[in-house]
Amino acid sequence: MRTVDVQDLQSLAVGAAILGTGGGGDPYIGRLMAEQAIRENGPVTLLDPEALDDEALVLPTAMMGAPTVMIEKIPEGLEAVRALRAAEQRLGRRADATSPIECGGLNSMIPFIVAARTGLPVVDGDGMGRAFPELQMETFHVYGLSGTPAALADEHGSTVLLETPDNVRLEWLARGLTIRMGGHAHLVDYPMRGADFKRTAVWRTISMAIAIGEAVLQAPHRGQDPVEAIAEATQGTLYGRAVPLFEGKVVDVERRTEGGFAVGQATIAGLGPDAGATLVIRFQNENLAAVREGEVLAIVPDLIAVLDAETGMAVTTERLRYGQRVRVIGIPTPEIMRSDAALAVWGPQAFGLPWPFVPLERRFPDYYRRYGVPKGKEKYLEV
Amino acid sequence: MRTVDVQDLQSLAVGAAILGTGGGGDPYIGRLMAEQAIRENGPVTLLDPEALDDEALVLPTAMMGAPTVMIEKIPEGLEAVRALRAAEQRLGRRADATSPIECGGLNSMIPFIVAARTGLPVVDGDGMGRAFPELQMETFHVYGLSGTPAALADEHGSTVLLETPDNVRLEWLARGLTIRMGGHAHLVDYPMRGADFKRTAVWRTISMAIAIGEAVLQAPHRGQDPVEAIAEATQGTLYGRAVPLFEGKVVDVERRTEGGFAVGQATIAGLGPDAGATLVIRFQNENLAAVREGEVLAIVPDLIAVLDAETGMAVTTERLRYGQRVRVIGIPTPEIMRSDAALAVWGPQAFGLPWPFVPLERRFPDYYRRYGVPKGKEKYLEV
């Protein structure tokens, strides 16, 4: 049985920031909270979905909104445990496991706080396979699960239990509550049976995030290029090998707030092999499309990560700055994220983009013929 | 055991509008809902607080926000029942009774919908003894009860259970939810034991509202002045006899929206015995102060009602119009509403008024020496 210790959290933070695709919230404060919880209570069991009992009760845990970073005092994260207990009370049953709803960014960490403080295992999988901004943007929703009973808890001791037949309404009500709770809240949503988790989740995303983070952190010690290290770490996963898209220097960032989202684009002037070309990255919290000279290289829900050129660490959209040297990579998303039902929720059109979804494997067939694709993705390599 | 039937609801609507002191929402749509529920299920038992078991579970029911009046279709009011069931589930116990949290306006009706549809009795008392705009403006809050677990339900099938150690925060969170639920929601709050209801509620306000309504509706048949009828109906209650304050014609209404409240003042030019004088009524949803030529005649939490001069029916602040012939009355509030703790929540200062609270009995000692005051209010008549 695999466990996650304090060192794994360090890797997870690095990997989850890359899977955050520019958004998802900085894992830093969540990592401090999870570290403290694991230091006090010992390592957390990371449960492979295969080992999850069909009848187990899984209560996914997460944070909504923007956390207030308190530099003097690391929050204990007991709000998420309180949300869990409220959901258990409603369901009349104790949880057998928790899981992330979102493996990218901050929400990779929250389940480890809950797990360390309650003794529950964390199931190795999530409902986004990356980061997305809203609660209905979940494979759990796409494949028919109810988001409720959901429970929210804030740092003022308030707990709210939500039940609604409509997952979009869950997002609407929970978002309103989060604002009134002071801008952020911990939550449990999509309570489900083990069998439903196995059927609807994106599998093994936490172990993949840890592996990606380890690869990035180890690369300098091995004299390895960090992008090459990420490519190797993703090879053999459900996703498939990360592909280098571009390298260059940030020359322009436009950013505005629309409906609570950070919307805009970054322009990167090519260097090295990309000298003379320009890449534009469109984002709405998360990176949505990478467009080179008018040609779409990668598009949501495939993952687009902007990395520091030297270290390979993720640069979030909010930290994009003029003059940064960056490398941009794409990671193909798993097939469960690409069904018609899934694309209706988070495909390019759902974000108002004018381009259709074209999988990275189809866009870069030579690359993927060379390195291979996971089972189920061979169709993209047919001529 | 007293019961409330469809005819009683008609009287209750008239009386509750007067106790609404200009606000509290028009009881009309609530009355239609309660009538339908009673027609389908039979009369509701109105339980005197004295007859309430100390260990009984009382779940007060109400509506928050502004109801959308659907003229073709009377809502069944099952939202409030759903809120009740959610609270019961949380408490692990079935309710023994419901009650109003607010006897003035629309919220006088909601418990009768719930009671008719569930078979529960309505306890004859409430937490405001009139109408107020916020959930912490309750004797239940003033005298130490928790407003939660509270449950909200909307007409889209969503149910929310709120728990917070702070009743002001309950108001804040519930108000935010109500807005996102479409502008109104049904709720249960201040779940309590019978003994707590007896200790903290304003007693027998529903039977008093029915008596006031009956008096107003019967007055023309008896050739009685409606203000005289109201005075007689209030005499002998915990409140004490209503006192005529002014009569005249509305000559100006200033109204603006501030923080979700209808704030403003109406100016009434005197007629008959008041000819030549002017009365200004300051309001914030409810009438807060009646000021004659700079002299305060009545002030919150004492009740100030503006009545149609002919019929004695209440005129809400939103229906105040230039040219209306009106009569203004004051009703002294019960002592439980006048403690220092109570005045801190709903005294003149809580509404930003520059005047201290002066009880009607002290302002009109001759009137009350003539008609007498309820037990506990004799002190106001001392020189």
Side-chain angles (χ1 to χ4, degrees):
Chain A
M1 192 79 75
R2 164 147 202 189
T3 60
V4 169
D5 60 20
V6 167
Q7 193 176 338
D8 293 322
L9 289 180
Q10 194 185 2
S11 303
L12 177 57
V14 172
I18 292 170
L19 297 180
T21 67
D26 189 332
Y28 180 71
I29 184 79
R31 185 187 127 198
L32 294 184
M33 291 161 73
E35 276 185 10
Q36 183 168 304
I38 286 181
R39 284 218 170 82
E40 291 173 14
N41 301 280
V44 166
T45 297
L46 186 65
L47 194 67
D48 191 81
E50 201 101 286
L52 181 64
D53 191 281
D54 277 355
E55 295 306 322
L57 174 62
V58 181
L59 295 185
T61 44
M63 183 183 266
M64 271 186 98
T68 320
V69 179
M70 285 167 287
I71 211 70
E72 299 85 9
K73 182 174 172 290
I74 304 164
E76 289 186 358
L78 292 173
E79 294 85 358
V81 176
R82 195 144 40 76
L84 184 95
R85 296 299 180 220
E88 288 178 333
Q89 202 273 348
R90 171 63 187 86
L91 295 164
R93 191 178 157 190
R94 301 305 288 257
D96 299 300
T98 186
S99 82
I101 61 170
E102 180 180 32
C103 69
L106 170 64
N107 273 331
S108 61
M109 293 292 165
I110 306 298
F112 289 94
I113 305 167
V114 174
R117 299 215 177 273
T118 59
L120 293 175
V122 173
V123 193
D124 188 5
D126 75 300
M128 292 182 175
R130 47 171 293 158
F132 276 132
E134 298 188 336
L135 296 182
Q136 79 280 10
M137 294 177 167
E138 295 279 346
T139 52
F140 309 142
H141 166 66
V142 168
Y143 298 108
L145 302 184
S146 172
T148 69
L152 277 80
D154 71 16
E155 61 198 20
H156 309 287
S158 303
T159 311
V160 177
L161 196 71
L162 280 161
E163 298 189 56
T164 171
D166 175 354
N167 294 335
V168 174
R169 186 160 282 271
L170 163 64
E171 159 66 26
W172 172 248
L173 296 175
R175 191 69 54 182
L177 277 165
T178 298
I179 294 164
R180 292 216 162 196
M181 283 175 154
H184 66 282
H186 285 77
L187 85 154
V188 165
D189 63 356
Y190 295 95
M192 69 184 95
R193 294 168 58 248
D196 286 324
F197 189 92
K198 291 180 192 177
R199 178 175 64 82
T200 64
V202 187
W203 284 37
R204 297 173 185 148
T205 48
I206 294 299
S207 50
M208 182 179 82
I210 294 172
I212 291 173
E214 274 173 0
V216 170
L217 293 170
Q218 291 301 317
H221 307 296
R222 294 181 184 152
Q224 192 185 22
D225 173 61
V227 166
E228 178 65 22
I230 294 170
E232 283 181 10
T234 46
Q235 176 105 25
T237 68
L238 272 182
Y239 288 67
R241 187 176 174 101
V243 53
L245 298 177
F246 200 79
E247 58 184 279
K249 195 175 80 162
V250 178
V251 292
D252 191 46
V253 183
E254 295 168 33
R255 200 188 279 112
R256 60 192 184 281
T257 301
E258 261 178 34
F261 297 118
V263 175
Q265 61 178 37
T267 306
I268 302 165
L271 293 171
D274 296 310
T278 297
L279 187 81
V280 172
I281 295 189
R282 295 267 297 258
F283 56 79
Q284 176 182 322
N285 287 16
E286 284 76 37
N287 301 322
L288 297 178
V291 184
R292 179 186 172 130
E293 305 287 319
E295 183 194 358
V296 177
L297 299 186
I299 193 160
V300 66
D302 281 347
L303 288 71
I304 299 161
V306 179
L307 310 176
D308 179 274
E310 293 304 312
T311 63
M313 306 284 267
V315 181
T316 58
T317 55
E318 60 188 303
R319 288 195 292 120
L320 280 170
R321 294 284 180 275
Y322 177 88
Q324 274 169 326
R325 294 270 317 258
V326 297
R327 295 170 74 182
V328 182
I329 62 169
I331 304 175
T333 204
E335 288 304 284
I336 197 172
M337 300 282 297
R338 289 172 170 177
S339 68
D340 289 345
L343 292 178
V345 177
W346 53 56
Q349 283 189 299
F351 291 99
L353 295 178
W355 307 289
F357 174 63
V358 176
L360 276 166
E361 298 90 336
R362 182 158 285 156
R363 182 67 196 70
F364 298 98
D366 294 343
Y367 183 83
Y368 285 103
R369 280 195 201 103
R370 186 180 340 149
Y371 290 107
V373 291
K375 197 160 163 292
K377 291 187 167 188
E378 302 86 354
K379 60 188 174 192
Y380 299 121
L381 304 187
E382 291 161 12
V383 184
Chain B
M1 192 79 74
R2 164 147 202 190
T3 59
V4 169
D5 60 20
V6 168
Q7 191 175 339
D8 293 322
L9 289 181
Q10 193 185 2
S11 303
L12 176 57
V14 172
I18 291 170
L19 297 180
T21 66
D26 189 332
Y28 180 70
I29 184 77
R31 185 188 127 198
L32 293 184
M33 291 162 74
E35 277 185 10
Q36 183 168 302
I38 286 180
R39 284 216 171 83
E40 291 173 14
N41 300 280
V44 166
T45 297
L46 185 65
L47 193 67
D48 192 81
E50 201 101 286
L52 180 65
D53 191 282
D54 278 354
E55 296 305 321
L57 174 63
V58 182
L59 295 185
T61 44
M63 184 183 265
M64 272 186 97
T68 319
V69 179
M70 286 167 286
I71 211 71
E72 298 85 10
K73 181 176 173 289
I74 303 164
E76 289 186 357
L78 292 173
E79 294 85 0
V81 176
R82 196 145 39 77
L84 184 96
R85 297 298 179 220
E88 287 178 333
Q89 202 272 351
R90 170 65 187 86
L91 296 164
R93 192 179 156 189
R94 302 304 290 256
D96 300 301
T98 186
S99 83
I101 62 171
E102 180 179 32
C103 69
L106 170 65
N107 273 331
S108 61
M109 291 293 164
I110 306 298
F112 289 95
I113 305 168
V114 174
R117 298 215 176 273
T118 59
L120 294 174
V122 172
V123 193
D124 188 6
D126 76 301
M128 293 181 174
R130 47 170 291 158
F132 276 132
E134 299 187 338
L135 297 182
Q136 79 281 8
M137 294 178 167
E138 295 280 347
T139 52
F140 309 142
H141 166 66
V142 167
Y143 298 109
L145 303 184
S146 171
T148 70
L152 276 80
D154 70 16
E155 61 198 19
H156 309 286
S158 304
T159 312
V160 177
L161 197 71
L162 280 161
E163 298 189 56
T164 171
D166 175 354
N167 294 335
V168 174
R169 186 160 283 270
L170 163 65
E171 160 65 26
W172 172 247
L173 295 175
R175 191 69 55 184
L177 277 165
T178 299
I179 294 165
R180 292 216 162 197
M181 283 175 154
H184 66 281
H186 286 76
L187 85 155
V188 166
D189 62 356
Y190 296 94
M192 68 184 95
R193 293 169 58 247
D196 286 324
F197 188 93
K198 292 180 192 175
R199 177 175 65 82
T200 64
V202 187
W203 284 38
R204 295 171 186 150
T205 47
I206 294 299
S207 52
M208 182 179 83
I210 294 172
I212 291 172
E214 275 172 1
V216 170
L217 292 170
Q218 291 301 318
H221 307 295
R222 294 181 184 152
Q224 192 184 22
D225 174 62
V227 166
E228 178 65 22
I230 295 169
E232 283 181 11
T234 46
Q235 176 105 26
T237 69
L238 273 182
Y239 288 67
R241 187 178 174 100
V243 54
L245 297 178
F246 201 79
E247 58 183 279
K249 193 176 81 163
V250 177
V251 292
D252 190 48
V253 182
E254 296 168 33
R255 200 188 279 110
R256 60 191 184 281
T257 301
E258 262 179 32
F261 297 119
V263 175
Q265 61 178 38
T267 306
I268 302 165
L271 292 170
D274 296 308
T278 297
L279 187 79
V280 172
I281 295 191
R282 295 266 297 258
F283 55 81
Q284 176 182 322
N285 287 17
E286 284 76 37
N287 301 321
L288 297 178
V291 185
R292 179 185 171 130
E293 305 286 318
E295 184 194 0
V296 177
L297 298 186
I299 193 162
V300 65
D302 281 347
L303 288 71
I304 299 162
V306 179
L307 310 176
D308 178 274
E310 293 305 311
T311 64
M313 306 283 268
V315 180
T316 58
T317 55
E318 58 188 306
R319 288 195 293 120
L320 280 170
R321 294 283 179 277
Y322 177 88
Q324 274 169 327
R325 295 270 318 256
V326 297
R327 295 170 73 182
V328 182
I329 63 169
I331 303 175
T333 204
E335 289 304 283
I336 197 172
M337 299 282 296
R338 290 173 169 175
S339 67
D340 289 345
L343 292 177
V345 177
W346 52 56
Q349 282 188 300
F351 291 98
L353 295 177
W355 307 290
F357 174 64
V358 176
L360 277 165
E361 298 90 335
R362 182 158 286 157
R363 182 67 196 70
F364 297 99
D366 294 343
Y367 184 83
Y368 286 103
R369 279 195 201 102
R370 184 176 349 144
Y371 290 107
V373 292
K375 196 159 164 295
K377 291 187 166 187
E378 303 85 354
K379 59 189 174 191
Y380 300 121
L381 304 187
E382 290 162 13
V383 184

